[in-house]
Each structure stands twice: as C-alpha cells, then as structure tokens.
Amino acid sequence: MRIRTMPAVAAGCGLLLLTGCGAADMTKQASPFANARGARTVTLSVQSWVGAQANVAVAQYLLEHELGYRVDTVQVDEVPAWDALSQGRVDAILEDWGHPEQEQRYVEDKKTIVNGGDLGVTGHIGWFVPTYFAKQHPDVTDWKNLDKYADRFRTPESGGKGQLLDGSPSYVTNDKALVKNLNLDYRVVFAGSEAAQITQIQQFAKEKKPFLTYWYTPQWLSEQVPMTEVELPPYEEGCDADPEKVACAYPHTPLQKYLNADFARSGGEAVELLRNFEWTTEDQNEVSLMIAEQKLSPREAAKKWVDGHRSVWEKWLP
C-alpha cells in the first residue's frame, strides 16, 4: 500500500503489475490530456501496488464506457504523485495511505488539492510472520520476543541479524527507526518492489520457512499465504510524528482519494463519479486477484467486475 511515507493494502497501471510502489519520479512525463481545458479527458495517477491498480482499472473502465471520457494513466511514486496532482499533471489519486506533510502543504496551505472522500477501504501496515510459524511459536507475535527468533529469520542479506523484509524503499515505512528504537537484532532488507517481496514470501511459504515481513492489508496475497501480525507498541496519535523517533505500531488508515482543485471545480461528471467511487476490501481484492493470480489484464479484470456488480457501481454514476 503509505503505506506510506506510506498501505495494504492494497494496490490499474497503464499498468505496472505488482511492482510495489517503486517507480521513478515521472511527474514530468504526465499525460498531455491532464487538466486540458474543455476536453472530456481524465488523467489518473497509478500507484504500482496491485490494489491501487484495481481502483484505477475500474474507475477508468466506467469513465470510458459509461460516461464517454478519454482516460490516461501515469505511474508515479506516492510523494511525487502529490506534486503532479498539485501541478495538474494528473487529475486524481484514488488510493492514498496518509501523507500529512503533503496534505498540509497542498490541501491546507496552497489549496491546489482537495480531498475526494473515502475509498471505502481501511489500510494497515504492520510486521507479519507466517501463520504456520506463529502456531508453532505463539510468543513470536509479541515484539518483545522477536530477538529470541532472530537467528530463525536470518538470511545471507541480513548480515548476521534477523531479516525484516520490506518491499520498495518508496513505501511508507518506519521500519529502520523501529528496529533501532526498539533495540532489535534485525536488519531491514528491501526486496525492491511489491512483486519481488511477494515472490520471496511465496518461496518462504512453499518451503515452510519462517520469515518476518513488513506487510499491509488489504492485500490479495494474505489469502494465499496466511500471516499473523506481530504486536508492536500500541499506536497513539502523534507517536509517529518524528520519523527518527518512531517506536510504535502503524495506524489503521481509512484510504483517501484526492483531486486536483481545478479539476474538482470543472471536471463535471468525472468528478462526481470519482467522488462517489467507494467500494469494499472484498471488491478490491476480487479485482486484484484477477490481475495478480488469474493474469487478466487490468482492463479485462475491471470489465469482469463491472459486469458482475452493477448494483455497486450504478450508485457512483452522476
């Protein structure tokens, strides 16, 4: 997922399938259709985790087939996406996991971005172990006992310490600070992308090996590889305000949509649909699984979901 200086959880790119929020800054490669005055066009920012791709795929399909828009997509990392949105290079972000600094700068101060409402999905980041290991060693689910199992989580990449597997460095993550501030005998190892992280988790699970990983919900892989969360020190408002001093769990975050302010004023029916777009974790996972597991293209997955859920999306139409 911010998730993120962050997700889940969860994750339609022109569409870079299953690569985890690891794209380059593409704000200067935005669509020429973005913010085009008088044109029936919409440009959507696509984060690279599959749940975000699912959102965009369905929104794009409906905008094109129900409202007759031309839709363009641009893949942008989480923080640069806010810059692109503020500049009108993209019109909307459909899944944000919480970026307080950007919200303050662009929503409150510059007023170049407006909140587009809840996505309907609550995201949560945490540390997880495979459920098969948690059943064998129930105390591993308390962070205070993690050092006891550090040798079990060691890998060649972790340099003699336990490995905490992360996805892309561009995700919202406090993990390096958490390891340091909780004085744990672990090293954060970045897989590089959601796709690479998933591959490693699947391989560990196939061999029934123990692992500790940064993970997020909702995310389709959790149905394939059941994981149990490790309890970190409880989250309290403000406990993550200083990135260097974080020593608490990640919050549960109602995922938000954001719109370019000019687009929100003049985007017509497209704005109404995007503001009304609100679905469940189950809806998102259904589309995500079609993309990730069944290998449907995002457009094919969106069409299949739309064909089977008219009662859900009809309410989004202007």
Side-chain angles (χ1 to χ4, degrees):
M1 227 119 157
R2 11 166 231 175
I3 344 247
R4 269 164 187 42
T5 308
M6 259 194 274
V9 133
C13 255
L15 289 162
L16 184 61
L17 176 60
L18 291 179
T19 57
C21 307
D25 179 357
M26 297 183 68
T27 57
K28 292 183 170 50
Q29 301 181 35
S31 163
F33 301 103
N35 214 16
R37 186 165 303 194
R40 253 180 108 74
T41 61
V42 180
T43 300
L44 302 178
S45 172
V46 185
Q47 282 70 38
S48 55
W49 58 95
V50 70
Q53 294 173 11
N55 304 326
V56 171
V58 171
Q60 178 175 2
Y61 189 89
L62 292 173
L63 284 165
E64 291 177 344
H65 291 271
E66 295 296 322
L67 300 182
Y69 279 81
R70 155 70 188 255
V71 180
D72 199 45
T73 61
V74 181
Q75 185 184 339
V76 195
D77 273 352
E78 289 179 86
V79 172
W82 281 80
D83 300 328
L85 188 63
S86 174
Q87 296 160 13
R89 295 179 181 274
V90 298
D91 295 317
I93 296 171
L94 299 186
E95 180 174 314
D96 184 80
W97 285 65
H99 291 86
E101 290 184 11
Q102 282 67 36
E103 290 175 44
Q104 182 64 44
R105 180 181 302 124
Y106 294 124
V107 179
E108 301 298 331
D109 297 340
K110 292 189 174 183
K111 302 188 187 307
T112 53
I113 294 175
V114 298
N115 186 285
D118 287 347
L119 176 64
V121 177
T122 295
H124 176 59
I125 296 171
W127 292 0
F128 290 80
V129 296
T131 300
Y132 55 76
F133 188 76
K135 287 181 178 179
Q136 295 171 347
H137 307 281
D139 63 335
V140 74
T141 59
D142 185 334
W143 71 270
K144 295 176 183 177
N145 298 319
L146 284 176
D147 276 356
K148 175 180 172 181
Y149 296 99
D151 61 333
R152 302 290 301 275
F153 298 133
R154 188 179 301 147
T155 69
E157 292 75 26
S158 62
K161 297 178 177 290
Q163 174 176 278
L164 172 56
L165 179 65
D166 273 46
S168 166
S170 71
Y171 286 173
V172 171
T173 174
N174 301 324
D175 285 0
K176 286 187 176 181
L178 282 167
V179 167
K180 178 183 177 182
N181 296 330
L182 297 178
N183 196 28
L184 295 172
D185 189 26
Y186 283 79
R187 174 170 293 167
V188 176
V189 176
F190 290 97
S193 69
E194 183 185 68
Q197 186 180 13
I198 286 171
T199 297
Q200 290 196 31
I201 290 173
Q202 289 174 323
Q203 187 60 38
F204 284 135
K206 182 179 179 180
E207 299 173 8
K208 289 292 190 232
K209 288 184 177 180
F211 62 86
L212 175 66
T213 189
Y214 162 107
W215 200 236
Y216 36 90
T217 58
Q219 217 289 342
W220 64 269
L221 184 68
S222 301
E223 297 183 20
Q224 184 186 92
V225 181
M227 289 183 260
T228 301
E229 187 170 5
V230 174
E231 291 187 13
L232 295 170
Y235 176 84
E236 296 179 2
E237 189 70 32
C239 70
D240 54 356
D242 186 338
E244 300 299 320
K245 297 180 180 179
V246 178
C248 60
Y250 293 89
H252 288 78
T253 305
L255 305 183
Q256 299 294 300
K257 300 166 293 184
Y258 286 93
L259 309 175
N260 171 272
D262 289 339
F263 170 70
R265 286 189 290 268
S266 61
E269 292 181 321
V271 173
E272 290 187 63
L273 186 145
L274 294 176
R275 285 189 182 276
N276 292 338
F277 187 114
E278 184 172 342
W279 62 353
T280 66
T281 296
E282 291 73 25
D283 290 325
Q284 189 188 77
N285 276 342
E286 184 177 342
V287 179
S288 298
L289 280 164
M290 285 190 271
I291 297 171
E293 283 285 273
Q294 299 174 28
K295 307 304 181 186
L296 272 63
S297 71
R299 185 174 296 275
E300 290 169 335
K303 181 182 186 306
K304 190 172 180 179
W305 185 87
V306 166
D307 287 346
H309 296 80
R310 175 173 288 273
S311 63
V312 177
W313 58 261
E314 270 190 333
K315 295 180 290 187
W316 307 340
L317 297 178

